[in-house]
Amino acid sequence: MFILIKMSSWQDIYGHEQIKADLQLLLQEKKLPHALLFSGIDGIGKLLMAKMLAKSLLCPNFKENNTACGYCNSCKMFDEQNHPDYYFLEPEGKTRKLIKIEQIRQMQSQIALSPYLSDRRVVIINDAQYLNDTAGNSLLKTLEEPVGEVFFILITSNKDMILSTILSRCMKIYFAPLNYQEVAKVLQQKMDITQDKAMIIARLSGGSILKAMQFIDDDALALRQKALSCLQEDFSIKQIWSFIDELSNLDREKINEIMSHLQMLLRDLLLIKVNKDIDIIYNQDIKEDLLNLQGKYNEVDLLAKLTLVEDILKRLNSNADIKLILQKFILDWQNK
């Protein structure tokens, strides 16, 4: 399930008002650098912002309104996803997704041609953290010596995975998570749910509209329950191996989601411990469960477990065997 947000102007992008204003000013003053990096968690509007910027750069009328006009041939072709001067690149692969050297070379051959419809070209590289080393080094050469007037917009949820040499060539723009009121507003406008449910889901989203949409499906709440069970249960050895087998049968995406829930639950418990304020926690709908758990763990325990979760979230992005990752995690979890 997803929310299709129609994008015809900068105002159609939720939040990030300062970033919108800064980008429009750079456009107006013709000071936009040829390479930008948009970083921040998934589902907060980085790609929408990149596409709006690309559409404005390619529109012949943008100088008049400081934005894409929406009605010229360039804007129409961009909306139809067949603009000849726009190149979109993202990871490929069935099991492990990567941006490979062949994709970069194909892009390089395209942008080496003269613009067809506009007077410049724009390249968006989505999930740029998945550039392999060979592809990254090839892209670096293009960023250092671009041919003609071409703009690159790299998008990432983890800039630490990108080559430092690429980062040094880009103007870096950080997108903060949306506040939960903004997320709730989107859910109410686009989905048929009550205000109360929208607020509960928005708090769980961590500021991501993408994650909020996942919570509309009841299956997502079942995954959170599995995460909560890690905090509630004192597993026996037999239960540990049973739990590992159960998780191993899930795909990486669902395991990642369980661990993300666990990360948020641990943060909520820390907030309760430190601030004694349950009104600021994310998981408002299960606050009684969390209050019942606060006496089971001290701050040192929670921080140690949080470190374990952050580590497994990184390892889930590797090629390591899922079962081995989970075995190490559960055994370390029990010892913390």
Side-chain angles (χ1 to χ4, degrees):
M1 183 184 293
F2 64 95
I3 297 174
L4 179 62
I5 300 176
K6 184 181 177 182
M7 184 191 64
S8 59
S9 72
W10 296 89
Q11 284 65 45
D12 294 325
I13 303 169
Y14 293 92
H16 314 300
E17 298 303 324
Q18 188 59 55
I19 294 175
K20 284 188 276 191
D22 291 344
L23 289 175
Q24 286 178 290
L25 183 61
L26 288 170
L27 278 173
Q28 184 179 19
E29 296 183 349
K30 299 180 181 179
K31 293 182 179 178
L32 191 76
H34 81 278
L36 300 99
L37 178 81
F38 291 177
S39 67
I41 64 171
D42 289 329
I44 54 174
K46 303 187 301 297
L47 180 56
L48 283 176
M49 191 81 78
K51 287 184 175 181
M52 193 67 239
L53 180 59
K55 188 176 178 179
S56 297
L57 281 166
L58 295 169
C59 175
N61 303 318
F62 91 98
K63 297 172 186 175
E64 301 171 12
N65 304 312
N66 202 26
T67 188
C69 69
Y71 56 80
C72 68
N73 284 338
S74 174
C75 287
K76 289 177 180 177
M77 294 185 78
F78 188 91
D79 290 339
E80 293 166 0
Q81 301 181 56
N82 59 3
H83 197 294
D85 302 321
Y86 167 63
Y87 199 95
F88 181 79
L89 195 156
E90 63 183 347
E92 295 178 351
K94 291 183 179 179
T95 53
R96 189 186 179 200
K97 292 187 178 295
L98 285 173
I99 298 174
K100 301 175 183 177
I101 182 64
E102 292 81 7
Q103 294 172 263
I104 297 298
R105 286 173 178 163
Q106 186 177 3
M107 176 269 291
Q108 289 166 334
S109 66
Q110 286 290 110
I111 65 172
L113 303 173
S114 298
Y116 177 78
L117 187 61
S118 302
D119 57 359
R120 53 172 65 99
R121 289 183 177 273
V122 181
V123 177
I124 290 179
I125 302 179
N126 194 32
D127 286 329
Q129 69 270 21
Y130 294 119
L131 282 157
N132 65 24
D133 288 346
T134 309
N137 285 318
S138 182
L139 174 64
L140 177 63
K141 294 178 183 177
T142 305
L143 293 179
E144 290 175 334
E145 301 174 3
V147 178
E149 191 172 11
V150 55
F151 292 88
F152 293 87
I153 308 170
L154 281 64
I155 302 170
T156 181
S157 59
N158 188 351
K159 68 181 179 65
D160 294 335
M161 291 175 63
I162 298 176
L163 292 174
S164 59
T165 45
I166 290 179
L167 295 178
S168 68
R169 299 298 187 277
C170 298
M171 175 182 173
K172 292 173 278 295
I173 299 177
Y174 171 69
F175 285 65
L178 299 168
N179 64 54
Y180 69 85
Q181 290 95 339
E182 289 173 325
V183 176
K185 182 179 178 181
V186 175
L187 293 177
Q188 281 188 271
Q189 287 180 351
K190 304 297 179 179
M191 309 298 292
D192 185 20
I193 60 175
T194 65
Q195 182 179 4
D196 287 345
K197 185 172 182 179
M199 290 298 288
I200 289 172
I201 292 172
R203 283 182 176 273
L204 292 172
S205 71
S208 165
I209 294 174
L210 179 64
K211 188 171 286 188
M213 292 186 296
Q214 294 170 347
F215 278 105
I216 294 175
D217 184 350
D218 289 337
D219 183 50
L221 295 178
L223 295 178
R224 183 183 62 169
Q225 187 59 42
K226 288 188 184 299
L228 183 61
S229 70
C230 289
L231 292 164
Q232 292 174 323
E233 302 293 338
D234 293 316
F235 294 113
S236 66
I237 294 298
K238 183 178 180 179
Q239 288 172 321
I240 286 175
W241 296 113
S242 176
F243 191 61
I244 289 171
D245 287 339
E246 182 184 355
L247 293 184
S248 299
N249 289 326
L250 301 174
D251 58 40
R252 282 181 185 254
E253 186 177 339
K254 288 191 180 296
I255 296 171
N256 200 307
E257 192 173 339
I258 290 170
M259 294 303 160
S260 295
H261 286 308
L262 188 52
Q263 183 181 48
M264 200 173 294
L265 290 167
L266 287 166
R267 288 177 176 173
D268 277 353
L269 282 171
L270 274 170
L271 285 171
I272 292 172
K273 281 280 188 184
V274 175
N275 294 312
K276 311 295 183 184
D277 185 358
I278 62 171
D279 291 330
I280 61 174
I281 66 173
Y282 292 115
N283 293 274
Q284 284 288 323
D285 59 318
I286 56 169
K287 60 186 176 185
E288 292 301 324
D289 292 302
L290 295 174
L291 287 170
N292 290 334
L293 282 169
Q294 65 172 321
K296 186 176 179 179
Y297 303 101
N298 58 41
E299 288 90 338
V300 175
D301 295 332
L302 294 171
L303 286 169
K305 289 183 181 297
L306 192 55
T307 300
L308 285 177
V309 174
E310 289 169 351
D311 179 62
I312 193 175
L313 283 169
K314 291 177 183 176
R315 297 186 69 200
L316 284 169
N317 286 323
S318 72
N319 268 338
D321 181 79
I322 283 287
K323 197 158 190 174
L324 291 177
I325 292 175
L326 290 170
Q327 285 174 358
K328 183 179 187 308
F329 171 76
I330 296 295
L331 292 172
D332 288 346
W333 178 271
Q334 289 296 97
N335 293 326
K336 293 295 182 182

